[in-house]
Structures are given as C-alpha cells and as structure tokens.
Amino acid sequence: MPYLAEASRYDSMPYRRVGRSGLKLPAISLGLWQNFGGVDVFETGRAVLRRAFDRGVTHFDLANNYGPPYGSAEENFGRWMAEDFRPYRDELIISSKAGYDMWPGPYGDFGSRKYLVASCDQSLKRMGLDYVDIFYHHRPDPETPLEETMGALDHIVRSGRALYVGISSYSPELTHRAHAILAAQGTPFIIHQPSYSMLNRWVEDGLLDTLAGLGLGCIAFSPLAQGLLTRKYLGGVPADSRAARERSLKPAMLSAENIERIRQLAAIAEARGQSLAQMAIAWVLRRPEISSALVGARSVEQLDDSLDALKRLDFTADELAAIDRHAIEGGVDLWRAQSRVQPSE
C-alpha cells in the first residue's frame, strides 16, 4: 500500500529554532549512522522512518560513509524517499556530511574543496535529491587551510547543492574561526553537531556558550552514548548489541565504573517514571542551546521509547543534582581527538 503520513504528525512534536536562523528542527531527530545500511534489513529501516515521520520527526541525518558498506545508508534512503517520502520532501530536513574516509586515494578524506564538492555530488546522486537542507563538514582537517574548507561549503550553497551548512566536532576556538570566515562570505552557517551525553559532557566546557554567543544551533549526536545509557548492558553484553559487534562501541567502554554509573542513573530515571534512555534524551534537551537530540533506532519499538522522552522534559533541582553525581566522563567520546585538531595555515 502507498505510504500515507499520519494527519496528526505535528500535534505532539515540539520544534526548536536553530540558533538565530529561521529554521526549526524537531526536538528529536533521526540519525542513520547505524542500522540503515546495506547489511541491515531494508523493510525494518523503512518502518522506522515511516514511524518517525508519523510522530513528527521531520529531520533525517546522514553522511557519505554511513552504512556499512560506505554509501549504503544514503542509497537505502534514496529508495525510501522515492517510494514513500517524495510527496513530503518540502516537509523534511535532510542533512549529509563529508570529512571521514570515503574512497581510496588522496581525494577521499578530510576537508579539501575537491573532496567536499565531489562527496556532496555523490550523496545527492545516491539519495536522488536535488539538494540537501544541511551539509556539514564532518570533522576538522589538520592539513587543509580552514579558508579552503569553508570556501567549499560556501560554494556548495551557492551552487544550489545545500540550503544551509554546518560543522561537526569543531572546538570552540575553531568554531569561532569558521564562523568568521563564513560570515564574511554571507554563507548560511547555522549549526554545529557535537557528541553530547551524560557520559560525555565536553560541550559544556565552552562550546555551548560559543554557539549561543554566535547565534548557532546545536544538534547533539549520541545522547545515549551509543546505547550505553539504556538498561541494555546492565546484565552483560547482548549478542546482538553494538558492543558485541564492535563497530564503534568498544567493550572496553563497559567498564565496571561506567556500569555502576549507568545503574545509578537508571534508578533516578525509574523514580521519574522514565526509561533511562528517555531521561538521557530529556537531560540533553534541558539545555536551551540544544536545537535537537539526534537518536538512532534499530526498531520501531526502540524509536517509540526514545520519542516518549518528550512526555517528561522537566527536571527538579534535586534530580539534576542527583544526576550530576553520576553523569561524569566515561571515556566514551570517540571524537575527542577530532575536536583538538587545528587546520594548517
């Protein structure tokens, strides 16, 4: 049967302004980093996307190398767009990125103009789109001058390939420099995508203040610390879990200290009448600088659990104090080294 979106899809999802731009994002967005690639079940991913849009999730976030294999998440998304979402294109915010390894040779990684423009073209072709709403530079490049990378983002907008641009995993200082270059060019730079969770709070050390001061939005990825901030690992490592597959969540992150922190946080969530995942998402959204929390989902049920975080976003001062006693750095930030990179002059 042809897909027909729920008429009530906008009734319960709050939408937040992206910095000082005119764009709004759903409080919770769906990322296709894991579970939507060529090794995954196509119809399961399709059902998750349908359910997300039916519940008001208008933002789908991708990157050139999401999969596995590389490019396959965008290819699958292109099929879902063609089969289900084409009539709703103007209701959707679709983003992609480039900056990590994508193809062999010296032109398939980091932040040169050659790589970014070619990668954007490839992403558009895979997804069957004329443009993306947001195109990000995925991480700083230690060898390419920042002016070249930002100039490529400006070109991508002026050529009609994207409406807005953003950056990911940039430090506060480098964000200031990128903003100055793009502002001088008149480029619609509106958003930063950093990792942020109760076990990874680096953005609170200057980045969120920087974004607020510059008028930039913030979409936080991995608010569940790749699934650590659920009850999934309290009894060991499930055979079908991300940790068992060792794609990005390494078993070493499941330290005894982290498990105990998660156990304590789960008790606080239970007292609030939430799952741990729901509280973790709500906790990220407590900050006014956060435009959206970017979640993944392996199933419709997992997606629904995350979206139900919206039923309880408030925190008492006592709850926040209790969370702070256990929400400390857990060694789960895979992207910390990227935020320290300084481009060449």
Side-chain angles (χ1 to χ4, degrees):
M1 293 290 293
Y3 169 62
L4 183 63
E6 286 286 344
S8 61
R9 59 189 176 276
Y10 295 115
D11 290 353
S12 58
M13 174 64 71
Y15 297 87
R16 296 182 168 197
R17 187 180 178 192
V18 180
R20 290 196 287 267
S21 77
L23 188 67
K24 292 183 178 180
L25 292 180
I28 297 176
S29 300
L30 181 63
L32 280 69
W33 175 26
Q34 310 265 0
N35 307 312
F36 297 91
V39 301
D40 301 297
V41 179
F42 180 84
E43 289 300 329
T44 300
R46 185 182 195 180
V48 171
L49 263 69
R50 285 182 170 191
R51 180 63 170 170
F53 189 56
D54 284 344
R55 293 195 58 176
V57 176
T58 54
H59 178 31
F60 299 137
D61 179 79
L62 299 103
N64 57 354
N65 63 357
Y66 284 178
Y70 289 176
S72 60
E74 289 184 331
E75 289 171 353
N76 283 342
F77 184 77
R79 290 180 60 189
W80 294 319
M81 274 296 302
E83 296 175 16
D84 293 336
F85 296 104
R86 186 68 61 191
Y88 305 102
R89 175 63 183 98
D90 291 338
E91 297 181 41
L92 295 174
I93 302 298
I94 301 167
S95 60
S96 192
K97 316 176 200 72
Y100 282 94
D101 172 59
M102 184 58 192
W103 63 82
Y107 316 121
D109 203 351
F110 282 113
S112 70
R113 182 183 181 94
K114 167 71 173 176
Y115 172 54
L116 291 183
V117 175
S119 182
C120 185
D121 284 342
Q122 291 181 15
S123 291
L124 292 175
K125 183 177 181 179
R126 282 190 289 267
M127 293 188 286
L129 299 176
D130 296 323
Y131 68 94
V132 289
D133 297 277
I134 305 171
F135 189 78
Y136 292 91
H137 186 221
H138 213 162
R139 62 168 173 171
D141 181 349
E143 295 186 351
T144 302
L146 190 62
E147 290 77 7
E148 177 178 339
T149 300
M150 295 303 106
L153 293 182
D154 179 72
H155 172 74
I156 284 168
V157 170
R158 294 185 187 277
S159 62
R161 294 171 170 91
L163 301 183
Y164 306 93
V165 298
I167 56 176
S168 181
S169 297
Y170 275 52
S171 68
E173 185 270 337
L174 198 57
T175 299
H176 267 289
R177 289 178 56 195
H179 180 268
I181 295 167
L182 292 171
Q185 297 175 136
T187 315
F189 170 35
I190 65 168
I191 194 165
H192 190 300
Q193 186 176 131
S195 60
Y196 182 38
S197 74
M198 291 191 290
L199 298 179
N200 173 19
R201 302 180 64 166
W202 76 280
V203 301
E204 295 175 4
D205 188 22
L207 181 61
L208 291 180
D209 289 341
T210 294
L211 299 180
L214 295 175
L216 299 174
C218 181
I219 179 168
F221 76 86
S222 203
L224 303 183
Q226 300 191 69
L228 275 177
L229 290 170
T230 68
R231 299 187 66 91
K232 179 187 304 182
Y233 296 105
L234 294 183
V237 180
D240 63 345
S241 67
R242 192 180 298 189
R245 290 177 288 170
E246 295 192 41
R247 287 189 188 173
S248 53
L249 178 58
K250 307 302 181 184
M253 298 177 184
L254 297 170
S255 64
E257 294 81 5
N258 276 348
I259 294 298
E260 181 56 27
R261 291 173 188 134
I262 294 164
R263 199 179 306 279
Q264 296 297 328
L265 291 168
I268 299 170
E270 184 175 359
R272 281 170 50 85
Q274 288 183 306
S275 69
L276 175 56
Q278 290 164 357
M279 186 180 78
I281 294 167
W283 181 87
V284 165
L285 290 171
R286 85 198 187 286
R287 297 285 306 224
E289 303 94 339
I290 302 296
S291 307
S292 187
L294 185 60
V295 305
R298 293 183 61 196
S299 65
V300 169
E301 293 74 22
Q302 196 176 79
L303 173 72
D304 278 338
D305 183 71
S306 292
L307 292 178
D308 284 346
L310 299 172
K311 296 178 180 178
R312 178 77 197 278
L313 294 178
D314 62 298
F315 288 89
T316 67
D318 287 344
E319 287 172 335
L320 290 174
I323 289 170
D324 278 342
R325 286 195 287 272
H326 307 289
I328 56 179
E329 292 297 323
V332 303
D333 185 0
L334 300 176
W335 308 274
R336 186 175 298 275
Q338 306 303 324
S339 67
R340 297 178 178 141
V341 168
Q342 292 295 319
S344 66
E345 297 297 334

